[in-house]
Amino acid sequence: LRLHLGQWHTSKDFCSVLLVLFSSYGLLSLASRLGVRFLDKFEIAVDYRLTARILDLLWIAVGIAINIYITSKNIPFSAIMDGKNDTHICLKVWYLYYKWAGIWKAHRMGIRIGNFNIQRDSLAAVAPLFASAAKSNYTTAIAHFLSNIAAHPQLEENLHHDERERIDLLLYEYLDNNTVLHTERTSESRRESLWNLVDDLINVFGMSDPLSHNLFKEYPPTELHHQGVECLIACYEKGLERIKAVYRQEVLEIECRNARGRRKTEVVRTRVKDFNQKKSKNKTGIKSFQQASGSSNQADNLESPYIPESQNNLVKVPKKKRKQTTPEEEKILEELLVYKEELPDSAINEILSRLSSNWNKAKVKAAWRYRKSKV
């Protein structure tokens, strides 16, 4: 069963390929619309069954929406990718998902029905996408696998032998053969969400600015624009060149091995944590702005001559500058030093008559005590 278990692992990694390639084009938004709550688990395919069901439901919703839209607009199915990539951007992106996810479904169906030819052809068709999604180990493994099948016809015949019986054993003994029933129940429970998503996609396909739709409000796609579509379309051909290089270097060994760039994705990948960090920064910025506004308002209140009583304990009134004693005033105040124990009122009044109006009895006494302590 090792070979067939390997096929299931390949199918799981194929899910990861789709998640990587469409992560910046609204995949998380569509999954969220279907009711997926733990998107961080979904994006790394923690649970293969659940991830496969969600991708399957997305494929159904996208397929229905595309067919309804192009029928209403009289657009031939073969003409979706025609024309410039600055028009019908969202339609082209999700047509590619419908196309590439269809290969994944064919590969999965080949495993289920025990048809090796479907598995082999699907794997060959999808190999460039593994390279574009930076699945380096799987890219190398696929290159070796396909070359071995081509070089050893007897191996292919052995793989055909009793494959249906082996798959039945795998499904019943290891998976309880409940996958189809679970999928039916899941589809039934999510029927409303599915059709809501279909309606949203139909509307988005016809919009010149799809990012303004509420579908993308929570997780706005970062690459849903002209350059992003060009990059997504080109990733298949670039991936094909990459796997050809792997074949020459790893299988035929006619070129020196060069692993540089194999871990690079051909599209921009966006993770859930990237959206969360952006939201956190936005919240921090808003909070800082509010605090700055509050500080500004507080400063305005300080400059105002009126301060409400309820804020007396919260707002600090700026202190007045201390008036400096002039040399003339110093000489007048020094005359009071003749009094050692007590300063009589007559002396205070006489001094006040010679000082400016800023002075009073309390200030004169304070000045006398201060200067007496310095003697």
Side-chain angles (χ1 to χ4, degrees), residues 277-291:
Q277 288 174 356
K278 186 176 181 180
K279 291 177 184 177
S280 178
K281 288 181 180 179
N282 290 338
K283 289 181 180 179
T284 303
I286 293 173
K287 186 176 180 180
S288 299
F289 175 77
Q290 291 175 343
Q291 290 176 345

Side-chain angles (χ1 to χ4, degrees), residues 323-324 329 352 355-361 363-364:
K323 185 180 181 300
Q324 296 293 329
E329 291 173 336
L352 283 174
L355 294 173
S356 66
S357 59
N358 293 325
W359 290 86
N360 54 35
K361 286 186 177 182
K363 288 184 178 181
V364 171

Side-chain angles (χ1 to χ4, degrees), residues 202-215:
I202 294 172
N203 292 329
V204 166
F205 289 160
M207 295 176 65
S208 58
D209 181 20
L211 293 179
S212 62
H213 196 278
N214 286 334
L215 177 63

